[in-house]
Amino acid sequence: MKRPLTLRGRLALMALATSALWIGVLTTVFNIALDKRLHGQADDVLRTRAEAVAATVDVRPDGRLVVQEPTEDRALDVGVWIFQGGTVVEKPPTAPAGLEAQAARLAGRRETFADTEGPGSWRLYAFPVDAPAWQGHTPTQAGTVVSSVSLDPYRSTADTALIGSIALAVLLLATIYLLTRLVVRRALRPVAAMSEQATRWSAAGAPERFGAQGRPAELAAFAGSLDALLDRLAAVLRHEQQQAAELSHELRTPLARIAAETEWLTGRPRSTEQQETSLEAIAGAAATMQQICDSLLSEVRTRNAQTPGRSRFSDIAHRLAERNAALFPDAPPVTVAAGSSAPGSTPEVSIGVSEDVAERILTPLLDNARRYAAHSVTLACEASAGEVTVYVSDDGPGVPEDFVASLFEPGRRARPEDGHDGAGLGLALARRLARAAGGDIALDAAAPGARFVVTLPAG
């Protein structure tokens, strides 16, 4: 039997196999219990009939049995033998062949059950008729009442119950299988929709993400895995686009030089000295192009298992904090915090830009915070679906309200006379790099001191 190719089919088959096992066990137990119960009922009928007939038998002092005939004893005579020793005193008017011989074999025994096999199944029961005690002697068995009952009706009931229970089990299994496929299909419908969305988003490079909020635990984990995969794909795509842009920019200058020198050489006859100078320029430009290509190929060959275009906030933040402490020992220390008050904040998040780009974005913000901080500078981070937010805060005087609109303009400083170094280009450069990476930088004017909010794509 071939395994189902779909998860829905496998789950339905698993539910069917489990249900079949339990239903088979329950059906077997039910039929065994029913058969035992029917045999118990047959034994009760035999015992009751034998005891009723024995109540009509008197034992004389000489040991003879005298049967008292009740008013209506026709029901008692059906399938009942009365034996005195091995002699039949009374027997049913009609009995199947061989049944009387089986009853005779039970004569003289104490309470005993026996079954017969043949065209018809019978069960017999021997009930002793004891003589009363005479002159202190121990009572002795004077005779035996043997009752019989056909087991065919009981077996017919058992067979009917077995067939009915099997049919019910098959119907129940079919219903369970169909309902399981329907329920699983409906349950997996969100998974299929999420997979289709992930395919479309990854192909188009869309920034949308699923997020885990408001989803069942299983789908939340699945959504988190898909979001992480989309973040890695987006990081790789941004990295490749950035590399292509840098390669194009770096190769454009030497290539233009080669084209210009070649056009200059072929434009009109040149002297030997001019030709040598032009050829040296062409060779230098070609060497530059070769060096650029070698650097690119070397980066590709030495790339490790880590996804390119990704970095961890904790690594970058601690490295920047250590660098700040080493270069500016008298400045306020940089503290790496777990994030803002938002739940789920953690520094162990991946940013969808390379470490070099992330450092180039955060360094101007940290320099600005170091210049104006009174006692501390804080780096914090929190992650959401498809986005990472980094907070750079200081406990300084903050940004003047009249300067907020010009904060990110190149060459502008809030207090040129404050004695701090800087040309007012750092914040503008940081915002340009952040926006080029698909993020942005903004000032949180409501926070105490100065608090810059850096949004970057998740990795």
Side-chain angles (χ1 to χ4, degrees), residues 126-213:
F127 183 79
V129 178
D130 294 331
W134 300 99
Q135 298 178 355
H137 294 286
T138 303
T140 59
Q141 182 174 344
T144 308
V145 175
V146 180
S147 58
S148 64
V149 66
S150 176
L151 296 180
D152 290 341
Y154 298 96
R155 292 190 174 180
S156 177
T157 301
D159 292 342
T160 302
L162 177 61
I163 295 174
S165 60
I166 292 176
L168 179 62
V170 172
L171 179 61
L172 185 60
L173 287 175
T175 305
I176 290 175
Y177 180 74
L178 295 177
L179 288 178
T180 302
R181 286 186 64 89
L182 177 62
V183 170
V184 171
R185 181 175 62 183
R186 293 179 64 88
L188 293 179
R189 191 174 298 168
V191 178
M194 291 171 64
S195 300
E196 293 176 0
Q197 287 179 339
T199 302
R200 292 197 300 269
W201 292 347
S202 62
E208 291 88 350
R209 296 296 182 267
F210 297 103
Q213 296 181 353

Side-chain angles (χ1 to χ4, degrees), residues 17-88:
T18 305
S19 301
L21 177 62
W22 281 108
I23 291 176
V25 170
L26 293 177
T27 302
T28 302
V29 171
F30 167 75
N31 283 277
I32 291 176
L34 178 63
D35 186 70
K36 187 176 181 179
R37 177 61 179 166
L38 291 176
H39 273 77
Q41 290 180 350
D43 292 345
D44 292 340
V45 169
L46 289 171
R47 189 179 290 107
T48 300
R49 186 180 297 174
E51 291 176 353
V53 172
T56 64
V57 177
D58 293 333
V59 182
R60 296 295 175 88
D62 58 0
R64 288 186 306 110
L65 299 182
V66 178
V67 180
Q68 303 292 334
E69 298 293 341
T71 306
E72 294 183 1
D73 64 343
R74 185 174 303 173
L76 299 179
D77 291 338
V78 177
V80 177
W81 288 263
I82 301 175
F83 292 91
Q84 183 173 355
T87 305
V88 179

Side-chain angles (χ1 to χ4, degrees), residues 1 49 61 107 109 114-115 122 146 179 188 191 193-194 207 227 266 280 290 307 309 319 333 341 413 439 445:
M1 180 180 178
R49 186 180 297 174
R109 297 187 182 183
D115 293 327
W122 293 79
V146 180
L179 288 178
L188 293 179
V191 178
M194 291 171 64
D227 287 345
T266 58
E280 289 178 358
Q290 182 178 3
T307 303
R319 184 162 55 250
S341 59
R413 293 183 57 186

Side-chain angles (χ1 to χ4, degrees), residues 224-248:
S225 300
L226 287 180
D227 287 345
L229 177 61
L230 291 173
D231 290 339
R232 287 194 292 271
L233 291 176
V236 172
L237 181 61
R238 285 191 301 270
H239 179 75
E240 299 301 332
Q241 290 174 343
Q242 182 182 5
Q243 252 191 353
E246 292 178 354
L247 180 64
S248 174

